Amino acid sequence: MMHMSTLNEATNIRKFGKDLGYLPYMIERYISILGEEETKKLLQFNETKLPQIIRFNSLRKPHAETEMLLKKKQVVMERVKNFPEARRVIRSPVPIGATEEYLNGFYMLQGENSLYPSSILNPKNGELVGDLAAAPGGKTTHLAQLMNNRGTIVAIEISAFRSRSLKSNLARMGVQNSIVINMDSQNIQSLNLEFDKILLDAPCSGSGTIISDPTRKISKTIDDLLKYHELQVSLLTNAINVLRTQGEIVYSTCSLEPEENELVITKVLESKDMKIEEINIIGENGLTKFETYNFDSEMVKAKRLYPHKTCGEGFFIVKMVKE
Amino acid sequence: MENNDFVFRKSSAMEETLVLNHLKEMFGSKTIQSLSNGNLWIKEGKIKEVFLIPEEQEKIILKLSGEIYYAGTPIGSIVENEFQLEIEGSSLILPFTNNKIKIKTSQFLYGKHIFVENLESYSYNFDKGDYLIILGKNNLHYGIGKAEIGAKDIDKAKQNTILVKGLKDKPLDRGWYLRRGN
């Protein structure tokens, strides 16, 4: 009886996923990773709407002053756990992405979970920090804030079009310590720089962002995931090549797919001497096994942030130190 | 540097003089202090964009062989041998100049004109053709514009007289970041 009930549950979830417009392979792998009950919760959560999160920008204005200005506009906010610089917007009578305060760079609209990669990298004044695939600059401006505009961020973006939004955000947010280079981050060695820290929020299939972009339910096949995997391995390998010994790198994606996460790290660790560091944040441990893949046992130190469990976009984050 | 559409280089002495003279003449000599935090660099493309780059970043730029798209703070542009201070440049000199007006409405952020009736206050007797930094509610920075009439003519001007022209195709007001930045 038990067995039949589980089978029925799985069938129901497959039908639920199909009705919501997902490609079947996605549901299968979510069931494999999360189990049926959690998959159902994930699919349900992806049909809701995320709250808007703003990150106050101390490069422009002390947090308290920005908060007061927004309160004057009747914007109702609440604090965000773990991020004193962030607020969840509960209610706003004005478009929060078009206020005079926004245009003055007093805050940035940024998903809650996307605040983690820069915070985990924890750049310091005076360091040389690489930010690969940097546009539109949410994380770059966060890095600059954490560095108090000291030290240097070399932000690399391949797309000229996306570089424009990066430039706009850097200027608006009062970032003074960035250098933007319009090039393929895979060629980072050509810069002849040695970085103290690198953030690689890699281009990915974006399966953690279905809540914001439902087209992702059907837009990527397993072949696409493998193409992303190749690119991510190349980006990470090249990034590690330009990291100094004892330098730190944070690799993140907004994808839930093991091919873009644990498999990338496992592949890179085969040829690079890197130590995975524990990161003390919310989320589930990285996977050590998926379908036919076996991953490095240290992957448990990576974090998977599932949308329905964190009330944010899905993320995978791992921090490594070069030995 | 191969196949570049633009060149990122240190400003020439002539370009630096052009920028400094513009600031001194239009906004007062104290405004030069706002540039003490770095050196001027030029990105040459269709127009010459002027950046203020701190020495710390300058040292890195000098080592780079890649295509630099942006660095430091963009303060303005040089077109036909004239320097135009833009959004961030005007924000930078704000503490060092009196050329400011405060307005009651936010239409300037949409690239629209400021009319005499929109003026809330001014503390500087500007002349026609002077550059003015535009502030809005709570003294928030809105951008920069050119006076179409002098302060002495405001009282006798009609309410719908243009005081500062909005130029939505130029990065002179902070609404630019929404119009063109994303």
Side-chain angles (χ1 to χ4, degrees):
Chain A
M1 282 302 286
M2 195 71 171
H3 182 63
M4 280 303 290
S5 140
T6 308
L7 272 179
N8 286 341
E9 182 67 10
T11 307
N12 286 341
I13 290 164
R14 286 184 184 103
K15 184 177 181 312
F16 186 42
K18 192 180 171 192
D19 290 346
L20 291 173
Y22 285 82
L23 292 178
Y25 87 90
M26 297 176 71
I27 305 302
E28 293 305 328
R29 56 177 43 210
Y30 295 158
I31 292 173
S32 165
I33 295 170
L34 289 165
E36 287 142 13
E37 193 57 39
E38 291 296 324
T39 297
K40 190 176 171 187
K41 286 180 188 170
L42 171 64
L43 301 188
Q44 283 169 335
F45 183 80
N46 279 346
E47 299 305 306
T48 64
K49 203 177 165 197
L50 284 179
Q52 284 184 307
I53 305 290
I54 59 174
R55 169 174 56 80
F56 293 148
N57 177 23
S58 53
L59 297 179
R60 285 288 199 202
K61 202 88 172 161
H63 298 170
E65 286 183 36
T66 302
E67 187 157 36
M68 195 180 69
L69 287 167
L70 291 177
K71 280 182 178 169
K72 274 189 189 174
K73 286 188 147 73
Q74 313 299 321
V75 178
V76 180
M77 297 163 284
E78 65 180 17
R79 287 179 176 271
V80 175
K81 198 180 167 190
N82 300 322
F83 296 103
E85 70 272 43
R87 295 289 182 275
R88 188 174 295 107
V89 179
I90 306 297
R91 200 165 51 251
S92 175
V94 290
I96 203 74
T99 66
E100 290 100 327
E101 289 79 5
Y102 174 83
L103 296 175
N104 269 276
F106 294 175
Y107 62 86
M108 184 82 179
L109 280 162
Q110 195 172 354
E112 184 172 337
N113 288 342
S114 78
L115 295 167
Y116 281 108
S118 306
S119 303
I120 291 166
L121 190 66
N122 193 22
K124 303 280 189 237
N125 293 357
E127 288 181 331
L128 178 59
V129 177
D131 182 9
L132 278 55
K139 296 177 190 74
T140 321
T141 57
H142 194 192
L143 291 171
Q145 182 172 343
L146 294 166
M147 296 166 82
N148 202 23
N149 253 340
R150 302 280 176 78
T152 302
I153 301 168
V154 176
I156 303 175
E157 173 54 48
I158 189 171
S159 155
F161 181 75
R162 283 167 59 83
S163 294
R164 207 169 69 175
S165 61
L166 175 60
K167 170 185 173 180
S168 174
N169 279 318
L170 292 169
R172 181 176 63 82
M173 299 291 278
V175 172
Q176 297 170 359
N177 65 336
S178 71
I179 299 167
V180 177
I181 301 178
N182 189 199
M183 66 179 266
D184 186 343
S185 295
Q186 291 177 96
N187 300 330
I188 191 168
Q189 286 178 89
S190 69
L191 299 180
N192 293 316
L193 294 175
E194 192 177 56
F195 291 90
D196 298 305
K197 288 177 180 169
I198 292 179
L199 176 61
L200 172 55
D201 185 43
C204 70
S205 70
S207 61
T209 66
I210 287 172
I211 191 164
S212 320
D213 177 17
T215 64
R216 173 61 182 85
K217 290 175 182 175
I218 54 164
S219 62
K220 300 286 188 291
T221 63
I222 292 181
D223 277 351
D224 292 324
L225 304 184
L226 295 173
K227 281 178 196 155
Y228 276 112
H229 166 83
E230 293 298 324
L231 173 64
Q232 290 151 348
V233 168
S234 171
L235 284 167
L236 184 55
T237 304
N238 284 294
I240 290 168
N241 287 343
V242 294
L243 192 64
R244 71 166 167 80
T245 304
Q246 293 304 309
E248 297 171 2
I249 186 164
V250 169
Y251 173 88
S252 61
T253 70
C254 54
S255 165
L256 303 178
E257 314 311 316
E259 292 90 335
E260 300 182 81
N261 299 320
E262 289 89 346
L263 189 59
V264 170
I265 306 301
T266 301
K267 180 79 182 165
V268 170
L269 290 181
E270 285 172 8
S271 59
K272 297 288 172 195
D273 220 0
M274 302 294 289
K275 184 181 160 209
I276 299 181
E277 293 258 292
E278 292 272 3
I279 45 177
N280 187 23
I281 62 165
I282 57 166
E284 314 285 305
N285 292 347
L287 305 176
T288 51
K289 198 172 169 15
F290 172 70
E291 294 181 345
T292 56
Y293 298 119
N294 286 305
F295 306 125
D296 192 291
S297 59
E298 290 288 287
M299 288 315 313
V300 291
K301 292 178 180 170
K303 289 290 179 192
R304 299 187 135 251
L305 277 56
Y306 292 108
H308 64 295
K309 292 187 176 187
T310 60
C311 289
E313 291 183 332
F315 260 88
F316 172 87
I317 309 173
V318 63
K319 181 179 181 181
M320 293 175 281
V321 179
K322 189 169 180 177
E323 299 205 298
Chain B
M1 303 257 284
E2 290 176 4
N3 301 320
N4 284 356
D5 293 331
F6 49 76
V7 173
F8 206 89
R9 59 165 173 81
K10 264 189 157 174
S11 65
S12 66
M14 197 183 284
E15 287 159 343
E16 192 171 319
T17 305
L18 194 68
V19 173
L20 297 181
N21 284 347
H22 177 86
L23 292 184
K24 276 192 270 189
E25 286 165 19
M26 296 293 172
F27 300 95
S29 54
K30 280 186 186 168
T31 55
I32 302 302
Q33 292 176 52
S34 65
L35 305 183
S36 61
N37 172 34
N39 294 309
L40 298 179
W41 281 66
I42 303 288
K43 181 179 161 189
E44 273 194 67
K46 284 179 192 166
I47 57 165
K48 286 183 188 175
E49 292 178 67
V50 183
F51 293 85
L52 177 67
I53 301 185
E55 283 178 10
E56 196 174 3
Q57 281 71 56
E58 199 171 45
K59 284 179 197 159
I60 305 285
I61 289 172
L62 291 168
K63 288 187 205 168
L64 291 173
S65 55
E67 188 170 310
I68 296 173
Y69 180 82
Y70 172 99
T73 303
I75 64 163
S77 56
I78 297 173
V79 182
E80 291 173 359
N81 221 27
E82 266 193 44
F83 176 65
Q84 169 70 62
L85 196 66
E86 294 171 352
I87 307 167
E88 295 309 323
S90 69
S91 178
L92 214 58
I93 66 162
L94 189 55
F96 305 101
T97 184
N98 293 321
N99 301 31
K100 305 168 199 171
I101 62 168
K102 192 169 174 184
I103 59 173
K104 299 175 204 167
T105 55
S106 59
Q107 80 271 30
F108 186 66
L109 293 172
Y110 298 88
K112 293 182 179 169
H113 305 323
I114 298 170
F115 298 100
V116 165
E117 64 184 343
N118 307 132
L119 183 66
E120 184 172 316
S121 62
Y122 61 98
S123 54
Y124 167 70
N125 279 323
F126 56 86
D127 292 321
K128 182 179 177 182
D130 279 358
Y131 281 97
L132 301 169
I133 297 181
I134 318 297
L135 303 177
K137 203 174 174 186
N138 296 311
N139 286 320
L140 291 181
H141 179 250
Y142 279 9
I144 182 170
K146 205 173 191 177
E148 293 294 313
I149 62 169
K152 62 179 170 33
D153 298 321
I154 285 175
D155 287 342
K156 55 190 178 209
K158 285 184 181 170
Q159 291 294 292
N160 62 358
T161 304
I162 294 175
L163 176 59
V164 175
K165 272 188 184 168
L167 296 167
K168 67 172 77 161
D169 294 328
K170 290 190 174 180
L172 301 180
D173 69 272
R174 289 197 167 271
W176 171 266
Y177 291 133
L178 287 183
R179 292 198 302 277
R180 295 292 182 89
N182 294 315

